[in-house]
Amino acid sequence: MPVSNTCVKTGEGQVGMLQIPYPDAPGPGQALVRTRLSTICGSDIHVVDHLPVPAGVPMGHEAVGTVEAVGAGVTAFRPGDRVVVSCLLCCGTCRRCMEGDHQVCETFNAPANLLFGAQGEFFLVNGAQTSMAKVPDSLEDEQVLFVTDIMSTGFAAIERAELKPGDTVAIFAQGPVGLCATAGARTYGAGLIIAVEGIPERAAMAKRFGADVVVDPANAVAEIMRLTGNRGVDVAVEALGHEVTFQNACAVVRNGGTVSSVGVYGGYTELRLPTGGSFMHRKIVTTLCPVGTARMERLMALIQGGKVDLRPLLTHSMKLSETPAGYELFRKREGGVLKIALRP
């Protein structure tokens, strides 16, 4: 029986390491995966700090790993396969999955279908047949790690906004998800890309990922309106999860434009919607990370084709056993941290 040294939630705002046993033989539809590379996500902080998730729950939902064993019904994978695993689990057969919205899988009770345990030496995957994808031999673990969550989320912010080539985009906050949205805007052919960020290291990374201009949050609305001749942007992306950035995104979108929100508003029970400016004629879309085998394969094809490289996001490296210290570093945003590579 494999025993995994895994980061778990130990209380509100707290994590620690715990030894968790896993079965040698996974159940039907399951796969046991040995972690090769994992990381800490902003939504992990929400789970630990804000959500009513009980103590003892294993943490982590972004990982590259090696399949150790599969259960009945899992025919697409076998032991030894190197795989990426969706941050949200999906069955592939419920009504929502059949419509292509695997992230809101009814079988696994979305949004409670988050993968847990990837910040450990082993973790168990439900819905393995449609929640994993094989990694091409030509790609490194570090290249594909983010197709499991933040690359998919950031790119989906642009996709769901139905961006057209040449459109002007403003992306509020250049944390990991916002940077992926910036990379997505570049990949999908945006004209002017305006990033909003006040942390110098993140502003520099935004330029590296495709932003044409970076403006300070303090005067973002006025500066974006100036840059667009007071017209406003075609698409405004909110990638922080704060009410003020959501309102600012609404303030800078043109008439008929789109506000695309991928922020996690864990600290809010409601958001106030400003009714000025383009309120009379705009579209607001929200996006939960698109997942599933086909989604991750498509994103890896972009990487394999040289269209995007997100490896610079991995600014720090730690052992999996040091994950609790990684949470503190990630929370404080110290030392230019964006994403922490966690390895066994």
Side-chain angles (χ1 to χ4, degrees):
M1 177 178 288
V3 177
S4 175
N5 190 28
T6 298
C7 181
V8 303
K9 179 176 179 178
T10 56
E12 187 173 344
Q14 299 176 324
V15 294
M17 302 303 292
L18 183 70
Q19 300 291 310
I20 298 178
Y22 284 101
D24 290 313
Q30 294 182 328
L32 181 66
V33 176
R34 180 191 294 269
T35 305
R36 295 172 57 98
L37 178 64
S38 186
T39 190
I40 300 168
C41 182
S43 53
D44 289 323
I45 304 299
H46 288 287
V47 169
V48 172
D49 292 354
H50 301 296
L51 300 182
V53 174
V57 168
M59 296 299 300
H61 55 265
E62 294 176 280
V64 184
T66 302
V67 176
E68 289 286 303
V70 297
V74 181
T75 59
F77 305 94
R78 61 184 181 182
D81 285 342
R82 184 168 60 118
V83 295
V84 284
V85 184
S86 293
C87 64
L88 299 168
L89 303 174
C90 55
C91 70
T93 58
C94 72
R95 182 176 299 182
R96 299 286 84 83
C97 284
M98 293 295 285
E99 291 173 347
D101 283 334
H102 294 79
Q103 64 269 46
V104 288
C105 174
E106 294 177 331
T107 299
F108 293 123
N109 194 31
N113 55 334
L114 186 67
L115 171 69
F116 284 98
Q119 290 164 7
E121 295 165 314
F122 296 92
F123 60 96
L124 202 60
V125 181
N126 291 312
Q129 182 80 356
T130 48
S131 298
M132 305 195 304
K134 294 178 184 177
V135 179
D137 291 340
S138 62
L139 295 179
E140 302 172 357
D141 293 349
E142 292 79 5
Q143 287 177 283
V144 300
L145 174 62
F146 301 125
V147 307
T148 64
D149 185 353
I150 63 168
M151 178 184 178
S152 185
T153 300
F155 275 51
I158 304 301
E159 295 163 10
R160 288 264 287 172
E162 298 179 345
L163 176 134
K164 299 177 179 61
D167 275 355
T168 299
V169 184
I171 301 165
F172 285 82
Q174 295 295 293
V177 172
L179 286 165
C180 287
T182 296
R186 179 183 62 183
T187 301
Y188 292 138
L192 176 65
I193 301 173
I194 305 168
V196 180
E197 182 54 63
I199 299 174
E201 295 89 349
R202 296 186 175 197
M205 191 67 73
K207 285 288 193 75
R208 185 172 180 177
F209 278 13
D212 298 292
V213 183
V214 181
V215 301
D216 189 86
N219 60 349
V221 172
E223 187 64 12
I224 290 169
M225 297 307 290
R226 184 190 70 79
L227 288 167
T228 59
N230 215 39
R231 171 179 174 270
V233 296
D234 299 297
V235 175
V237 176
E238 199 291 315
L240 184 60
H242 286 183
E243 184 174 73
V244 65
T245 47
F246 174 75
Q247 292 178 342
N248 286 346
C250 291
V252 302
V253 75
R254 66 166 173 82
N255 286 320
T258 301
V259 177
S260 180
S261 173
V262 287
V264 178
Y265 302 95
Y268 299 87
T269 56
E270 59 184 27
L271 292 176
R272 291 172 294 179
L273 178 65
T275 56
S278 63
F279 175 79
M280 298 298 291
H281 190 60
R282 74 158 73 110
K283 181 165 63 174
I284 297 175
V285 296
T286 62
T287 305
L288 186 61
C289 177
V291 297
T293 303
R295 173 65 173 181
M296 293 188 292
E297 289 175 342
R298 284 181 175 274
L299 295 176
M300 286 191 288
L302 286 175
I303 295 166
Q304 198 167 23
K307 302 299 188 294
V308 61
D309 182 3
L310 299 176
R311 284 175 290 184
L313 288 175
L314 290 168
T315 55
H316 292 66
S317 182
M318 291 182 169
K319 290 187 175 297
L320 275 169
S321 59
E322 300 172 316
T323 300
Y327 270 76
E328 290 308 306
L329 175 64
F330 191 77
R331 266 198 190 94
K332 295 175 181 177
R333 301 180 183 177
E334 293 179 342
V337 65
L338 284 167
K339 296 290 278 188
I340 303 168
L342 300 172
R343 297 182 178 89

